[in-house]
Amino acid sequence: MTKLSPLQIERLKYQPKLPMSLQNGVNSLELVEGSATQSVRDQEQIKNLFANTYGKPTVTFKSTSSSSSSDVRNVGVILSGGQAPGGHNVIAGLYDSLKNANPANKLYGFLGGPSGIIEGKYVEFDDEFINAYRNTGGFDIIGSGRTKLETEEQFQKSLAVCKSLGISAVVIIGGDDSNTNAALLAEWFVKNNAGIQVIGCPKTIDGDLKNEQIEISFGFDTATKTYAELIGNIQRDANSAKKYWHFIKIMGRSASHVALEAALQTQPNITLISEEVEAKKMSLSSIIDYMTDIIVKRSNNGKSFGIAVVPEGLIEFIPEMGSMISNLNDIMASLESDSSFVSASASEKFSIVESKLSSENAKVYASLPALIKTQLLADRDPHGNVQVSKIETEKLLIEMISARLSQLKSEGKFSGKFSAQSHFFGYEGRCAFPSNFDADYCYSLGYNAFALINFGLTGYLSSVRNLTQPADEWIAGGIPLTMMMNMEKRHGEMKPVIQKALVRLDGPVFKRLQDNREDWAMNDRYLFPGAIQYFGPSSVCDITTTTLQLERSKTLASV
Ligand code: FBP
């Protein structure tokens, strides 16, 4: 038997909370239909592409005093994409709900992400299996992967595997892309009379799978609290030694929600927000100006230290960089399989790429340090995009600011010291023990997913709302996946995709930063959130993120 840590032992005993409507199990539920829906944009195109699943109503559940019986069902579950704290609890909630409805029901877990359903690699869960993973972080219960489920051949294979196991419903736990694929699979199954339902669950630490209906994706709460703990610790260190500037890049892919939330929890001296950089068309040079200015002013005040938080996706939002990277993505799509390019030396690769980029973009590329040029040539993700987690923007900024300060020194405009440390926080937060919020939210999402299945729904995203209130008052239901879709360009073609939510510059969360950042830049207002607490006063253990509170709370004054 594997040895467990004391926290693991205690967390396994935690009983996650459910919305009141789900507390009597899925056999005591009434389905309440809202009105018919339409996609967020491009209604005609999305309707044509999803002829069988488009326009369905939103639904919510109400608990009833009567109890019905439910047919035996076999369900398959897939973890898709990057890890996010709470994934195990989605599966535990799904399992408990399905067994509560009918003990003869079976839950299969497909191994290694979406490829598991295509290749027929699976496990069947039982109590002992599930119990070992309750309230733990990670996706290691069945593993995850980034295979995209989108081709006719993959759908055919998935159908054959489901038929062989008697599976009549599949739950896909994923982000915007995985849930786009869930919508495609749902539509394909209906069109082909497969008799298999598909339900999605909103996962991603990035917090960019949210909209009017989905208040937040799971994992954001725990991941941001983990990064905030680390930033707080570094702030104490910086404030103690008073000799380093710490440049901290925070994961989150394109959107800056994670960096913004971590910044609101810790109040660092500088926080860059990619969406603002893009909106203000800030060049790399103007970002360096902005940061250097703060560094010089602090130094003049006797503070040769500070904290700068940088969102992972920043580089793509700097106009000249974004244009160069998009040009480079197209070029790399053809060069990646070109053996002479693959075997070329680094400097040869730089020359080949520069000769293929437009002259403006070639100049931008050529101006970058070799380290960044090399990282920009690394493998693309399955969508053909550069993997921003592999680009060390924090080091690029340090290098450019150092050069700018040397220049100022030579002109007699700076006499202080600048010594920098770089950090990248991402993987540290994706598999943390889920906070109480994520443990409860995920368990509810999974439990609710089976309620949607039990009512015969397909092409829906499991939805649990009213999240700033106690779990009892959460509202469980479902949102048609097509409702969140629009048409976007992918690999040069227009495709139906779930719309990604970026930071809204007119929203209350960004405004909170905007109103305070001048003060935070010069006066050290550091906050030290400390580690996530699982046991203790509710005011510490059950708080949600500032983002969720500002976006959803009616009593903003208290946030
Ligand atoms: P998902 O969108 O799949 O949830 O993944 C999010 C993320 O953690 C991003 O923040 C990050 O850019 C990316 O995954 C890193 O991917 P990988 O795990 O493949 O390195």
Side-chain angles (χ1 to χ4, degrees):
M1 163 106 189
T2 327
K3 194 168 183 290
L4 303 179
S5 72
L7 181 63
Q8 223 171 333
I9 294 167
E10 287 308 314
R11 282 312 270 172
L12 292 179
K13 298 180 205 157
Y14 178 75
Q15 181 52 50
K17 303 180 200 83
L18 280 172
M20 187 74 86
S21 59
L22 299 179
Q23 287 174 11
N24 293 330
V26 295
N27 290 337
S28 301
L29 284 181
E30 188 187 316
L31 183 79
V32 182
E33 285 193 0
S35 41
T37 59
Q38 49 177 354
S39 58
V40 275
R41 272 201 341 231
D42 310 313
Q43 287 84 8
E44 274 315 301
Q45 282 145 298
I46 305 285
K47 189 174 174 183
N48 287 338
L49 290 165
F50 294 88
N52 299 285
T53 47
Y54 187 85
K56 300 271 188 275
T58 55
V59 297
T60 50
F61 293 116
K62 239 170 65 183
S63 178
T64 58
S65 46
S66 57
S67 178
S68 56
S69 61
S70 68
D71 297 339
V72 176
R73 290 173 201 270
N74 292 352
V75 174
V77 63
I78 298 170
L79 287 165
S80 181
Q83 285 66 250
H88 289 164
N89 267 25
V90 180
I91 297 180
L94 176 63
Y95 178 84
D96 288 352
S97 175
L98 157 156
K99 289 289 181 189
N100 166 281
N102 189 331
N105 287 344
K106 287 183 185 169
L107 181 63
Y108 292 97
F110 289 108
L111 299 174
S115 60
I117 192 171
I118 302 167
E119 293 162 12
K121 293 189 178 148
Y122 63 89
V123 288
E124 185 188 334
F125 293 113
D126 58 20
D127 290 353
E128 196 188 351
F129 197 151
I130 292 286
N131 288 345
Y133 287 92
R134 289 181 191 272
N135 309 306
T136 58
F139 278 9
D140 45 330
I141 187 168
I142 46 175
S144 186
R146 292 199 183 274
T147 301
K148 280 169 68 63
L149 264 182
E150 58 181 358
T151 66
E152 176 76 21
E153 190 193 351
Q154 290 173 329
F155 293 164
Q156 293 281 7
K157 285 187 177 166
S158 306
L159 174 60
V161 169
C162 288
K163 288 284 173 209
S164 71
L165 294 169
I167 286 176
S168 62
V170 177
V171 175
I172 298 182
I173 302 169
D176 52 336
D177 287 321
S178 308
N179 277 298
T180 294
N181 295 148
L184 292 169
L185 186 63
E187 175 68 21
W188 191 90
F189 279 152
V190 179
K191 194 167 135 202
N192 292 281
N193 293 317
I196 302 175
Q197 300 158 245
V198 182
I199 298 295
C201 279
K203 169 236 73 167
T204 178
I205 62 154
D206 299 350
D208 56 3
L209 174 49
K210 68 174 168 186
N211 45 48
E212 274 314 303
Q213 294 76 33
I214 300 296
E215 296 182 3
I216 195 63
S217 54
F218 80 74
F220 178 77
D221 187 271
T222 311
T224 53
K225 285 173 180 163
T226 306
Y227 305 140
E229 179 205 350
L230 299 175
I231 296 170
N233 294 350
I234 289 180
Q235 290 184 154
R236 275 269 200 242
D237 197 291
N239 205 24
S240 306
K242 303 199 190 295
K243 63 176 182 182
Y244 292 129
W245 261 93
H246 292 271
F247 283 62
I248 308 173
K249 186 176 76 169
I250 310 275
M251 213 178 231
R253 210 188 283 281
S254 305
S256 307
H257 299 294
V258 180
L260 178 54
E261 171 63 28
L264 294 183
Q265 286 184 33
T266 54
Q267 307 188 171
N269 305 104
I270 298 178
T271 304
L272 299 179
I273 297 297
S274 306
E275 291 83 344
E276 182 186 26
V277 164
E278 182 176 63
K280 290 187 174 163
K281 299 193 173 45
M282 288 173 80
S283 62
L284 183 54
S285 169
S286 64
I287 294 171
I288 300 299
D289 285 345
Y290 168 70
M291 298 179 90
T292 307
D293 185 53
I294 293 174
I295 291 166
V296 170
K297 283 188 180 139
R298 282 180 63 83
S299 169
N300 292 343
N301 287 352
K303 294 176 178 176
S304 299
F305 66 94
I307 308 293
V309 166
V310 179
E312 182 184 56
L314 175 73
I315 194 151
E316 287 191 301
F317 285 73
I318 302 171
E320 75 269 22
M321 292 287 167
S323 147
M324 181 271 290
I325 289 172
S326 126
N327 192 178
L328 190 59
N329 285 343
D330 292 343
I331 291 169
M332 290 306 289
S334 57
L335 285 179
E336 266 168 351
S337 52
D338 178 335
S339 56
S340 62
F341 179 77
V342 173
S343 58
S345 68
S347 61
E348 284 165 348
K349 282 184 179 163
F350 299 163
S351 311
I352 297 171
V353 162
E354 280 165 35
S355 71
K356 290 182 181 286
L357 285 166
S358 73
S359 64
E360 254 329 281
N361 291 331
K363 262 191 244 158
V364 173
Y365 184 77
S367 71
L368 295 169
L371 175 77
I372 304 293
K373 282 206 240 180
T374 308
Q375 290 167 354
L376 282 168
L377 301 184
D379 292 343
R380 268 41 194 169
D381 71 9
H383 308 281
N385 297 322
V386 78
Q387 296 186 56
V388 279
S389 58
K390 294 190 176 160
I391 314 250
E392 294 175 298
T393 325
E394 67 286 17
K395 291 193 179 157
L396 174 67
L397 295 173
I398 291 174
E399 192 168 324
M400 294 186 73
I401 290 169
S402 301
R404 183 67 58 87
L405 289 170
S406 303
Q407 173 69 26
L408 291 177
K409 224 172 213 174
S410 69
E411 294 165 8
K413 294 178 183 157
F414 176 64
S415 56
K417 284 201 186 100
F418 176 67
S419 179
Q421 300 282 357
S422 63
H423 312 263
F424 170 36
F425 297 151
Y427 301 100
E428 295 81 349
R430 297 200 314 184
C431 286
F433 279 99
S435 60
N436 286 351
F437 173 84
D438 269 330
D440 297 344
Y441 181 40
C442 291
Y443 187 78
S444 300
L445 285 170
Y447 207 96
N448 181 60
F450 186 73
L452 295 168
I453 292 169
N454 216 29
F455 277 96
L457 299 170
T458 190
Y460 275 76
L461 190 64
S462 177
S463 132
V464 175
R465 299 162 67 186
N466 207 25
L467 297 171
T468 50
Q469 300 307 310
D472 266 4
E473 294 168 37
W474 289 355
I475 300 165
I479 310 297
L481 286 162
T482 54
M483 187 181 182
M484 299 179 277
M485 299 182 99
N486 69 168
M487 301 297 291
E488 286 176 26
K489 207 169 187 188
R490 295 286 157 95
H491 284 299
E493 266 180 70
M494 293 307 282
K495 298 256 179 178
V497 293
I498 290 179
Q499 205 177 44
K500 220 184 239 312
L502 297 179
V503 168
R504 280 183 41 201
L505 300 180
D506 59 351
V509 191
F510 177 71
K511 191 163 183 334
R512 174 63 63 92
L513 174 74
Q514 209 176 22
D515 290 348
N516 289 288
R517 65 179 159 195
E518 254 179 63
D519 178 36
W520 297 352
M522 303 313 299
N523 308 305
D524 304 332
R525 309 286 190 202
Y526 303 145
L527 289 178
F528 310 105
I532 294 174
Q533 300 295 308
Y534 302 93
F535 310 99
S538 179
S539 60
V540 179
C541 300
D542 298 326
I543 39 171
T544 54
T545 57
T546 310
T547 301
L548 191 61
Q549 292 177 59
L550 286 173
E551 285 179 345
R552 300 287 165 177
S553 176
K554 313 240 170 348
T555 52
L556 295 187
S558 63
V559 180

